Amino acid sequence: MAERIQDIARPLDAAAVMRLLPARPRLLALGEPTHGEDALLDVRNDVFRQLVEQYGYRTIAVESDCLKGLAVDDYVTRGTGTLDEAVERGFSHPWGPATPNRELVRWMRAYNEDRPAHERIRFAGFDGPLEITGAASPREALTALHGYLAARVDPALLPCTARTLDRLLGADDRWTEPGAMTDPARSVGRSAGAGELRTLAADLVSLLEEQTPHLLASASRDDWDRARLYGRTATGLLAYHYWMAEPSPARMSRMLGLRDRMMAGNLLALAERGPVLVHAHNSHLQREKSSMRMWQGRLEWWSAGALVNARLGGAYAFVATALGTIRHEGVDTPPPGTAEGLLYDLPDDPCVVDPTLLAAALGDPRPAPRVSPWFGYAPLDPGHLDTIDGLVFVKDMPHP
């Protein structure tokens, strides 16, 4: 069996990935089984550089706050601010300032130097301004959308003034109350003011769509795209807060589904402007249902990848990543009976494997998923090999 698997693995590069696909996908998703490991981000950076230089990809989208990511995009496309500012302000997660992220932003800015606008590569966060621990106030997105429209359309068409929005939003700490995640009664999401804001946000988004010809004629496509992003984010956050205030057992499943629905909306919008490399956790990109066990039991929801795949079909491709060890987190050499255990003996590191051939090599029945002693790592499920287009394997995560 080891020899058969060795025959179907190739050294990882963009060309090896593309050979697994029938055509260049509009959205090429590269997953990771854990967060915060520089080795996986280095792999992402190498693949993206090759996709840009050899296959015409022009955007990278990462699992980070979509509004914060605008600061990175401004820096790499127009040189706004400094590298330090872009990295500090442009990523939402604790591993955002990691060295590979900084190197990615630096390389993108250098690549864009002296290139015309239509040839520049772009950066995007595609996550909402939220996490499992809480969600942001909708103020930034809602006021930005209102400001964009107020500067360009007849004031009589606006459903409210900026002052009305400010009054209804109130203090931001009402929205970011930490206790609301575990106690729905502490959420402001179903207050009368939040209900008015949901109506106003929907009306502002409707006005944005109704005025599209005028808006595109009077301002740049980039400005219009950002206004659409503000609209998706405002309505998504208000819906998320609404369900945060829900006491029923459906609460967390709806919140998880809403987060991935926001991700999917952002990815579909990015795909409109050309081919995109997407990088996020495997669970956000897979085609089958995602699941998680939390304090109230097992939760299931459809991932952003499943939602995008339903819309794009063959224009979406998912390449999962599996790994061997994260010894600093107690994840040691994988047992030989697991898929990772068999892949661990391959000579090339990193490598890419055709999942169809891997499934055949593993035989039937396929082995059970590896069991991880650390909650932060999600092992490969061999039962899902039929739903992925490629598999990247990286042997060892160096100690940070």
Side-chain angles (χ1 to χ4, degrees):
M1 183 181 293
E3 289 181 359
R4 294 176 64 191
I5 292 177
Q6 193 171 49
D7 290 341
I8 61 177
R10 299 290 181 268
L12 174 63
D13 58 23
V17 172
M18 287 297 183
R19 280 194 290 269
L20 298 176
L21 309 176
R24 184 186 71 169
R26 184 163 288 270
L27 280 173
L28 173 56
L30 175 63
E32 62 177 3
T34 187
H35 286 315
E37 294 297 329
D38 284 5
L40 299 180
L41 299 182
D42 286 334
V43 166
R44 174 206 65 188
N45 289 357
D46 288 343
V47 170
F48 180 59
R49 282 193 289 265
Q50 294 167 28
L51 289 172
V52 168
E53 294 167 351
Q54 301 172 30
Y55 295 94
Y57 279 70
R58 285 294 175 266
T59 301
I60 186 168
V62 304
E63 187 184 337
S64 184
D65 183 333
C66 57
L67 299 185
K68 287 183 180 293
L70 296 175
V72 179
D73 191 52
D74 284 341
Y75 174 73
V76 301
T77 57
R78 296 194 287 272
T80 303
T82 67
L83 175 60
D84 288 342
E85 291 168 344
V87 173
E88 181 180 351
R89 294 169 45 215
F91 293 87
S92 59
H93 294 85
W95 52 88
T99 299
N101 282 336
R102 183 182 180 86
E103 175 57 23
L104 172 69
V105 176
R106 186 206 63 75
W107 177 81
M108 292 179 71
R109 178 60 199 151
Y111 181 92
N112 285 338
E113 199 76 46
D114 300 325
R115 276 186 164 83
H118 70 278
E119 292 183 6
R120 294 174 191 161
I121 52 178
R122 307 288 298 270
F123 177 93
F126 73 97
D127 200 353
L130 48 85
E131 247 299 351
I132 290 176
T133 53
S137 164
R139 176 183 300 280
E140 180 182 359
L142 202 48
T143 56
L145 173 60
H146 185 278
Y148 171 85
L149 290 168
R152 294 169 175 84
V153 304
D154 183 344
L157 298 175
L158 293 169
C160 66
T161 65
R163 181 173 296 181
T164 298
L165 287 181
D166 187 61
R167 174 178 59 81
L168 292 172
L169 285 162
D172 285 345
D173 59 10
R174 297 167 63 237
W175 299 93
T176 57
E177 162 60 45
M181 181 50 67
T182 53
D183 182 0
R186 299 179 70 174
S187 170
V188 72
R190 296 202 176 187
S191 65
E196 289 186 62
L197 286 169
R198 286 194 299 276
T199 300
L200 292 172
D203 205 7
L204 288 167
V205 170
S206 180
L207 181 60
L208 176 68
E209 295 173 353
E210 294 161 25
Q211 294 291 313
T212 294
H214 164 68
L215 294 169
L216 288 176
S218 60
S220 73
R221 173 68 185 240
D222 276 356
D223 288 344
W224 181 72
D225 281 338
R226 286 199 177 193
R228 293 170 69 206
L229 172 62
Y230 293 136
R232 291 192 302 274
T233 304
T235 55
L237 278 175
L238 286 164
Y240 194 88
H241 281 288
Y242 177 88
W243 279 97
M244 195 180 289
E246 166 62 43
S248 79
R251 176 178 184 263
M252 283 304 302
S253 291
R254 285 303 307 271
M255 290 165 63
L256 291 166
L258 275 165
R259 181 187 179 190
D260 272 78
R261 191 259 289 169
M262 291 174 70
M263 289 182 171
N266 289 334
L267 291 177
L268 289 168
L270 291 169
E272 292 175 8
R273 69 189 189 198
V276 182
L277 175 68
V278 185
H279 188 255
H281 197 281
N282 287 330
S283 64
H284 288 303
L285 302 176
Q286 63 194 34
R287 289 184 171 93
E288 66 275 0
K289 266 191 170 180
S290 297
S291 64
M292 176 185 296
R293 184 164 295 278
M294 299 187 72
W295 63 86
Q296 68 273 68
R298 179 182 171 85
L299 303 170
E300 292 187 341
W301 72 99
W302 288 107
S303 73
L307 297 174
V308 168
N309 182 71
R311 296 282 294 275
L312 296 184
Y316 177 75
F318 171 45
V319 177
T321 297
L323 56 80
T325 71
I326 321 173
R327 298 190 194 280
H328 50 279
E329 298 291 358
V331 181
D332 292 322
T333 305
T338 62
E340 288 94 338
L342 295 169
L343 294 169
Y344 195 73
D345 291 331
L346 294 171
D348 295 313
D349 182 30
C351 66
V352 62
V353 177
D354 184 327
T356 302
L357 298 178
L358 175 59
L362 290 171
D364 191 19
R366 296 176 194 172
R370 177 187 187 185
V371 176
S372 172
W374 177 50
F375 74 95
Y377 161 58
L380 173 71
D381 185 344
H384 293 166
L385 287 172
D386 299 332
T387 67
I388 66 177
D389 301 294
L391 178 66
V392 169
F393 185 74
V394 186
K395 283 190 177 181
D396 303 298
M397 302 297 101
H399 195 288

